[in-house]
Amino acid sequence: MPKRTTKTDNLETANKFPWGKLIAGIAGSAVATRVIRRVPLGRIAIAVAPLIVAAMQRERELPKDKRKG
C-alpha cells in the first residue's frame, strides 16, 4: 500500500529546490526582457504592462455581480 503524504512531506518536497525555482524565475524574466526589447513595439509593451496588470487586479477585486462577463 502506498505511503500517505502528510503536510510535512509536502513541505519538505517544496523546500528541496528553492534556489532552483529562484534561478529559473530570474532566467525566465531575463529572457522575456530581451525578447520584448528586440520587438519593435517592445518599449510600448513595457510601458503598458503595469497598466494591464493593475486592470487585472482591479477586476479580480470586484464582486462577482459587478464584473463585466
Side-chain angles (χ1 to χ4, degrees):
M1 199 165 178
K3 178 184 169 188
R4 289 183 67 189
T5 59
T6 61
K7 289 182 181 179
T8 56
D9 289 341
N10 292 336
L11 183 62
E12 289 171 4
T13 304
N15 289 331
K16 278 187 179 178
F17 301 107
W19 289 106
K21 292 178 185 178
L22 181 65
I23 291 169
I26 292 170
S29 111
V31 169
T33 301
R34 285 189 179 192
V35 168
I36 288 174
R37 284 187 179 170
R38 290 184 186 265
V39 175
L41 299 176
R43 292 176 191 227
I44 295 171
I46 290 171
V48 173
L51 300 173
I52 294 170
V53 171
M56 290 171 54
Q57 288 177 347
R58 273 195 311 266
E59 182 74 19
R60 197 178 321 161
E61 292 171 359
L62 286 176
K64 286 186 178 181
D65 58 340
K66 292 188 178 182
R67 290 184 186 172
K68 295 179 183 177

